[in-house]
Amino acid sequence: MEHRIVGPGPYRATRLWNETVELFRAKMPLRKHRCRFKSYEHCFTAAEAVDWLHELLRCNQNFGPEVTRKQTIQLLKKFLKNHVIEDIKGKWGQEDFEDNRHLYRFPPSSPLKPYPKKLPYQKDVIKFPEWNEPPPGTSQENIPVRPVVMNSEMWYKRHSIAIGEVPACRLVHRRQLTEGNVEEIWKSMTLSYLQKILGLDSLEEVLDIKLVNSKFIIHNVYSVSKQGVVILDDKSKELPHWVLSAMKCLANWPNSCDLKQPMYLGFEKDVFKTIADYYGHLKEPLLTFHLFDAFVSVLGLLQKEKVAVEAFQICCLLLPPENRRKLQLLMRMMARICLNKEMPPLCDGFGTRTLMVQTFSHCILCSKDEVDLDELLAARLVTFLMDNYQEILKVPLALQTSIEERVAHLRRVQIKYPGADMDITLSAPSFCRQISPEEFEYQRSYGSQEPLAALLEEVITDAKLSSKEKKKKLKQFQKSYPEVYQERFPTPESEALLFPEKPKPKPQLLMWALKKPFQPFQRTRSFRM
């Protein structure tokens, strides 16, 4: 009875609803039943529907094996209300479905949920300054160029092929980024990163981009404690102190209960009920209504755990800071309770983990539309959050670094060389003043000679260069800048001093050359008479 995984994308909850309805209508066993001395064909009892649908949901990877029988009954109540099923007398429209022997059947046609239509939304993209965009009212022709001091290696790379003169360069002015510009960068890059992870062409059908607040993103990144929990500027939005004390009590049970009254039997159940009542009466779920489709869409990535964690990280950055803080504290408490072996049972009918999911799933994720499978999807999401909350509720470092580098790049003033393979970044000038044409011509003629002369001296005094490499670079420099070279070496003798001729060593005399030459053996007269 297992069916395919519904991946991320727009209207995922609607697609899951329609697919579940189609499977239920197509595969639910129907048979003849007898009720009050009357026989009914092609029908089923309520208990049979609960058994079959519960097994279908548990075997479905879109919902998981932790779906409870109670959740299945809630779904069948919605089926009855939306005329997916009707009782044997044709009644429907109310949620009076119970797990009993009452007879139900399928109507001749079961309406599937239509996909909502959203108006196309075009987001305003802020236009940042480009290389060829000078500030209005200024001319690049008569702007004095600040001399650039280059070392020999940079000069060699740039002028390995001499072109005969200094290449023209100009100062690229950046517009000063306002606070609104920086916020727009954070918003656009965060949403672009989320869109890339989800593999969607657009986010317009997953969330309303107009409702994404860039201030929330920046606050959730930078206003955090050492433990990574969001710090609120508005203390009136904090958790009530009695709720926070109750959460600390259960999270650190039994060592951190600061109580003025003695403990009694069932005390921990009352403390848990206090927390559940507070979260159960929130006006809006912690993940907000407008982000419901975004979080449900990420549920389609749970088969790729690492990718799903990254997507949840981005989605949680979009939350209001007070919601993110409440979610962080709640998930930490839930995870600690589930791992605490000394914690007494908080409910007689459920295990601790199931109780946590069933109690808090609705206050974490739910939809305004009652037809959606919000209970099942919320349970699936909360289960994944409990297992990975430490990673999911951390600030994504890769995204933060990328955005900070982008903002820093846009704030720099840069010099652009036509055809150069690199740009030299300078600090922004504090002021500008207009100069006369004569002064400009003087700076253009003589202002560039000082750094060139300094560069020539650096090549001359570079002890790391061999004589062959130094001669090669000096020859290139002489060809490109003959005037500067002539001023440094006015005569050939001054150039020769740079490479003095070394005295040629005399050839060493071999030892055998000092000896008498070899003479052949000569017969001597015998002394014998």
Side-chain angles (χ1 to χ4, degrees):
M1 291 187 296
E2 182 178 356
H3 55 87
R4 65 182 181 87
I5 299 175
V6 178
Y11 318 120
R12 184 175 185 270
T14 304
R15 287 184 287 150
L16 281 173
W17 169 272
N18 290 340
E19 185 167 317
T20 304
V21 169
E22 290 176 345
L23 281 172
F24 184 52
R25 285 178 57 88
K27 297 186 177 182
M28 174 66 198
L30 305 176
R31 61 186 181 89
K32 181 178 179 181
H33 288 81
R34 187 175 180 84
C35 179
R36 295 182 180 180
F37 307 102
K38 190 175 181 180
S39 297
Y40 296 93
E41 299 286 345
H42 307 293
C43 59
F44 51 87
T45 65
E48 291 173 347
V50 174
D51 292 338
W52 191 90
L53 186 58
H54 183 214
E55 186 64 21
L56 172 70
L57 297 175
R58 291 181 71 254
C59 295
N60 187 343
Q61 296 185 26
N62 293 301
F63 304 107
E66 297 187 357
V67 177
T68 62
R69 191 175 182 88
K70 181 180 178 181
Q71 290 175 330
T72 306
I73 295 174
Q74 293 296 326
L75 179 58
L76 285 168
K77 288 183 177 181
K78 291 188 176 183
F79 281 177
L80 180 61
K81 183 177 180 179
N82 291 277
H83 205 196
V84 177
I85 59 175
E86 62 184 16
D87 72 356
I88 203 65
K89 296 181 180 179
K91 295 181 180 180
W92 62 277
Q94 296 181 354
E95 294 187 2
D96 54 355
F97 185 93
E98 296 181 3
D99 190 359
N100 53 24
R101 300 292 299 175
H102 196 75
L103 294 180
Y104 292 90
R105 67 187 180 189
F106 292 116
S109 62
S110 181
L112 299 178
K113 184 179 178 183
Y115 296 105
K117 295 182 179 179
K118 293 185 179 181
L119 296 176
Y121 169 66
Q122 296 180 352
K123 63 178 182 179
D124 298 328
V125 181
I126 186 170
K127 187 176 184 295
F128 293 104
E130 299 178 355
W131 287 115
N132 299 323
E133 184 180 356
T138 61
S139 174
Q140 294 288 334
E141 296 181 357
N142 296 329
I143 296 180
V145 179
R146 177 178 174 179
V148 180
V149 179
M150 299 183 292
N151 55 28
S152 58
E153 182 180 358
M154 185 184 301
W155 175 86
Y156 182 71
K157 289 181 179 179
R158 185 164 292 180
H159 303 285
S160 57
I161 301 177
I163 61 175
E165 61 181 48
V166 180
C169 60
R170 64 186 180 86
L171 189 66
V172 177
H173 291 264
R174 296 290 196 190
R175 294 177 185 171
Q176 184 177 3
L177 293 181
T178 64
E179 183 179 353
N181 296 149
V182 176
E183 292 175 357
E184 183 64 27
I185 293 172
W186 273 92
K187 176 179 176 179
S188 60
M189 291 189 68
T190 301
L191 295 179
S192 176
Y193 198 74
L194 177 62
Q195 179 179 335
K196 181 179 179 181
I197 294 177
L198 295 178
L200 303 177
D201 296 331
S202 173
L203 291 177
E204 294 180 4
E205 296 179 341
V206 174
L207 58 86
D208 190 346
I209 303 177
K210 293 182 294 184
L211 299 179
V212 176
N213 193 326
S214 56
K215 295 181 182 294
F216 292 168
I217 303 174
I218 298 175
H219 187 97
N220 291 333
V221 170
Y222 292 109
S223 299
V224 294
S225 65
K226 294 181 180 180
Q227 292 76 26
V229 180
V230 175
I231 300 175
L232 300 181
D233 296 332
D234 188 358
K235 301 303 179 182
S236 64
K237 297 181 180 180
E238 287 274 9
L239 282 170
H241 66 90
W242 47 273
V243 176
L244 191 59
S245 298
M247 295 176 69
K248 289 181 179 179
C249 177
L250 293 185
N252 301 287
W253 183 275
N255 302 320
S256 185
C257 292
D258 185 12
L259 304 172
K260 296 181 179 179
Q261 298 181 357
M263 294 176 57
Y264 53 87
L265 184 64
F267 169 78
E268 66 282 350
K269 295 181 180 180
D270 290 342
V271 175
F272 180 75
K273 186 177 183 300
T274 300
I275 302 170
D277 288 342
Y278 171 79
Y279 277 93
H281 287 84
L282 294 177
K283 296 181 180 180
E284 188 179 27
L286 295 179
L287 302 184
T288 69
F289 287 130
H290 82 274
L291 291 176
F292 174 82
D293 289 332
F295 280 99
V296 171
S297 184
V298 178
L299 287 176
L301 298 172
L302 292 189
Q303 302 301 317
K304 305 175 182 178
E305 183 174 331
K306 185 177 180 180
V307 179
V309 169
E310 289 185 51
F312 277 127
Q313 282 181 336
I314 305 300
C315 289
C316 289
L317 281 183
L318 308 180
L319 296 174
E322 58 270 19
N323 288 37
R324 183 178 172 90
R325 177 176 173 83
K326 291 176 183 178
L327 179 65
Q328 288 174 320
L329 297 176
L330 177 62
M331 297 309 303
R332 184 169 64 178
M333 181 203 73
M334 294 169 60
R336 289 186 178 181
I337 290 177
C338 292
L339 296 175
N340 190 355
K341 297 181 180 180
E342 298 183 9
M343 174 65 68
L346 298 175
C347 181
D348 298 332
F350 297 100
T352 303
R353 182 181 175 88
T354 303
L355 177 65
M356 294 294 115
V357 175
Q358 297 301 317
T359 303
F360 296 108
S361 59
H362 187 73
C363 71
I364 293 177
L365 179 72
C366 69
S367 171
K368 288 183 178 180
D369 194 345
E370 296 181 356
V371 179
D372 285 327
L373 305 172
D374 47 4
E375 291 93 350
L376 299 177
L377 297 174
R380 182 70 165 154
L381 181 140
V382 172
T383 301
F384 189 79
L385 276 179
M386 288 177 60
D387 296 335
N388 303 275
Y389 80 98
Q390 291 182 334
E391 288 295 323
I392 290 175
L393 296 177
K394 285 196 323 185
V395 176
L397 185 59
L399 175 64
Q400 180 182 354
T401 304
S402 177
I403 296 177
E404 289 175 347
E405 290 179 351
R406 174 62 177 169
V407 173
H409 173 74
L410 292 175
R411 283 175 171 165
R412 295 189 185 108
V413 175
Q414 301 185 358
I415 284 185
K416 184 69 175 177
Y417 288 88
D421 57 348
M422 60 183 298
D423 297 323
I424 299 177
T425 303
L426 302 174
S427 57
S430 57
F431 67 95
C432 278
R433 67 180 182 87
Q434 188 174 3
I435 61 176
S436 62
E438 293 79 10
E439 186 177 357
F440 171 75
E441 291 296 333
Y442 177 82
Q443 290 186 10
R444 186 176 66 174
S445 301
Y446 299 99
S448 60
Q449 293 185 1
E450 295 180 2
L452 290 174
L455 177 61
L456 179 57
E457 289 296 333
E458 186 176 349
V459 175
I460 295 172
T461 57
D462 193 349
K464 296 181 180 179
L465 294 176
S466 64
S467 298
K468 184 177 180 180
E469 292 177 347
K470 188 175 294 187
K471 288 180 180 179
K472 183 178 179 181
K473 289 190 176 184
L474 288 176
K475 187 175 181 181
Q476 291 179 347
F477 193 96
Q478 182 183 15
K479 186 176 181 180
S480 300
Y481 316 111
E483 296 178 358
V484 179
Y485 191 88
Q486 180 67 26
E487 186 177 355
R488 177 61 177 83
F489 301 107
T491 60
E493 290 77 11
S494 59
E495 184 179 4
L497 293 176
L498 185 61
F499 302 101
E501 294 185 1
K502 296 182 180 180
K504 297 182 179 180
K506 295 181 180 180
Q508 296 181 358
L509 296 178
L510 300 178
M511 295 301 297
W512 61 268
L514 300 177
K515 298 180 181 180
K516 294 181 179 180
F518 177 77
Q519 296 179 2
F521 176 78
Q522 296 179 359
R523 291 179 65 100
T524 60
R525 180 180 296 177
S526 176
F527 290 99
R528 291 186 299 176
M529 300 298 296

